[in-house]
């Protein structure tokens, strides 16, 4: 009876998946790739990171949806297994049941590599015996690493170790895992593209369920290094504000512990940017402004804004950020003096005049 019920569940889930899935994308069996799927039990984040000697691997291998799971489909890849896997997870199937279900309906299953993690942290990873050597995977608590056409088993082992040992938020840990895999030899044919997807639930921002972090390097000599560079920029342009939004959401829900964690992640990004001598003025400005308007980490935000002004001394937006920080730190005279520089550069902009008046009055 249990076998019958599982068979019915698998068949029903596959029917749903077939209706939802786009046309299959089949790549050459020589598509070497290494990837990691992961779940964070504290933040409920789900993520996938991948690298391959293959153009635009990020549009084929990784799939994720908050509250559902994350999938990596590779080797002799069938990209429909991304949406199919998600549909099967939504139907209530476990990762292990999904692997069995897909295997039962796929004549090329022995040349596939597939992994998934669900929103409870349960994982499964499969490497078919016909995947090109070296191929294999390793599952851990809330994550799974796998790869094919690799320099050797150390690639997967080091990737798993790096993820376990890395600190910080999920995207940072996933990139660290890719870096360790590449250092161990990676795809033995070389490098070309990389992708990173992280999703998480948010009542105020339902878009985070599909795309909290979504970065792709399509064709590059060192795609993992480029992925990290894009991640650092992302943290200034989008990440800092997103973390502050989540902090407010957690605070409203009575989870001050998680709110503090989100704010601390912004501070981590800010201190790392200062430590490495970041020279992207816009990125520094984004971090500084997010801290300013939320009245957190103001001393480091001041350092970032001062550096950004030094890099782009005629940017009125950046000058305004620095003035705002001075004001919130209690130095009204310096805030007025700094804002006057912006007003001089753009005398027709009423906003700067209003800012100067606000600083002089000591208004909120």
């Amino acid at each position: 009876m249990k076998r019958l019920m599982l068979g019915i569940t698998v068949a029903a889930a596959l029917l749903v998946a077939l209706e939802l899935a786009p046309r299959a994308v089949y790549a050459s069996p020589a598509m070497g790739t290494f990837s990691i799927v992961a779940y964070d039990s504290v933040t409920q984040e789900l993520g996938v990171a991948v690298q391959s000697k293959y153009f635009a691997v990020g549009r084929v291998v990784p799939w994720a949806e908050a509250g559902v799971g994350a999938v990596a489909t590779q080797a002799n890849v069938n990209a429909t297994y991304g949406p199919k896997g998600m549909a099967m997870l939504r139907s209530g199937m476990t990762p292990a049941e999904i692997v069995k279900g897909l295997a039962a309906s796929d004549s090329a299953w022995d040349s596939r590599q597939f992994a998934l993690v669900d929103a409870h942290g349960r994982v499964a990873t499969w490497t078919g015996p016909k995947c090109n050597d070296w191929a294999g995977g390793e599952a851990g608590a809330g994550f799974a690493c796998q790869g094919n056409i690799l320099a050797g088993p150390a690639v997967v082992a080091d990737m798993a170790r790096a993820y376990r040992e890395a600190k910080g938020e999920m995207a940072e840990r996933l990139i660290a895992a890719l870096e360790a895999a590449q250092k161990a030899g990676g795809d033995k044919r070389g490098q070309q593209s990389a992708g990173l997807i992280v999703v998480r639930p948010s009542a105020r921002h339902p878009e985070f369920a599909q795309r909290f972090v979504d970065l792709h390097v399509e064709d590059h000599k060192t795609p993992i290094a480029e992925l990290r560079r894009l991640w650092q920029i992302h943290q200034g342009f989008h990440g800092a504000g997103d973390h502050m939004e989540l902090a407010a959401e957690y605070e409203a829900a009575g989870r001050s512990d998680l709110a503090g964690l989100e704010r601390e992640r912004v501070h981590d990004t800010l201190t790392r940017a200062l430590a490495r001598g970041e020279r992207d003025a816009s990125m520094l400005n984004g971090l500084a402004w997010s801290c300013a308007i939320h009245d957190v980490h103001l001393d480091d935000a001041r350092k970032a804004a001062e550096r950004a002004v030094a890099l782009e001394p005629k940017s009125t937006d950046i000058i305004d950020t620095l003035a705002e920080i001075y004001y919130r730190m209690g130095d009204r005279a310096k805030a007025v003096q700094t804002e006057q520089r912006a007003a001089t550069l753009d005398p027709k902009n009423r906003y700067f005049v209003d800012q100067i008046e606000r600083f002089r009055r000591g208004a909120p």
Side-chain angles (χ1 to χ4, degrees), residues 74-350:
Q74 56 199 53
N76 182 17
V77 65
N78 183 337
T80 68
Y81 285 172
K84 282 180 182 178
M86 293 300 169
M88 295 166 85
L89 284 170
R90 289 189 209 98
S91 76
M93 295 177 67
T94 68
E97 289 169 347
I98 291 170
V99 169
K100 290 179 181 178
L102 293 174
S105 61
D106 186 354
S107 61
W109 185 246
D110 281 354
S111 63
R112 312 283 194 208
Q113 197 166 46
F114 181 80
L116 75 166
V117 59
D118 69 11
H120 304 285
R122 297 174 296 190
V123 300
T125 181
W126 160 262
T127 299
K130 294 183 180 178
C131 289
N132 287 356
D133 212 18
W134 187 89
E138 179 179 333
F143 76 93
C145 299
Q146 47 284 317
N148 61 93
I149 319 185
L150 303 182
V155 176
V156 167
D158 287 6
M159 180 164 44
R161 189 196 73 252
Y163 183 76
R164 289 189 186 98
E165 295 176 356
K167 306 298 182 184
E169 59 188 283
M170 174 170 283
E172 173 68 29
R173 297 173 69 197
L174 292 175
I175 294 173
L178 291 187
E179 290 170 336
Q182 184 57 40
K183 188 174 181 180
D187 182 337
K188 64 185 179 183
R189 301 165 310 156
Q191 303 181 66
Q192 187 169 2
S193 65
L196 171 67
I197 297 175
V198 176
V199 297
R200 64 186 298 173
S202 169
R204 294 185 182 182
H205 292 276
E207 69 274 16
F208 292 170
Q210 301 293 331
R211 198 158 45 244
F212 183 63
V213 179
D214 187 9
L215 300 173
H216 301 265
V217 179
E218 313 296 25
D219 186 29
H220 199 279
K221 290 182 179 179
T222 54
I224 299 173
E226 177 66 5
L227 187 66
R228 177 168 287 283
R229 188 185 73 85
L230 295 177
W231 159 245
Q232 290 169 346
I233 295 172
H234 170 277
Q235 288 296 81
F237 276 88
H238 302 291
D242 291 345
H243 284 303
M244 292 300 188
E245 286 288 313
L246 287 165
E249 186 173 339
Y250 283 135
E251 205 74 70
R255 293 301 307 270
S256 59
D257 56 334
L258 293 180
L261 175 64
E262 296 300 326
R263 296 189 189 101
E264 193 55 37
R265 286 181 168 170
V266 176
H267 192 224
D268 289 344
T269 300
L270 180 57
T271 54
R272 284 197 301 269
L274 292 171
R276 68 173 177 265
E278 179 62 56
R279 295 187 61 79
D280 186 322
S282 295
M283 185 263 199
L284 291 166
N285 183 58
L287 284 167
W289 181 252
S290 290
C291 292
I293 62 175
H294 292 93
D295 281 311
V296 295
H297 318 311
L298 291 179
D299 191 50
D300 282 332
R302 174 188 58 78
K303 295 173 185 176
E306 287 175 344
R307 182 178 295 175
V309 169
L311 290 165
E312 293 190 17
K314 293 186 179 181
S315 171
T316 54
D317 286 344
I318 297 175
I319 293 169
D320 175 61
T321 296
L322 181 56
E324 185 72 34
I325 293 170
Y326 285 145
Y327 180 64
R328 289 174 184 253
M329 293 181 77
D331 194 337
R332 290 164 59 183
K334 203 164 188 178
V336 169
Q337 181 185 27
T338 302
E339 198 73 23
Q340 285 173 334
R341 289 172 57 189
T344 300
L345 287 166
D346 188 2
K348 294 182 179 180
N349 193 328
R350 181 69 197 178

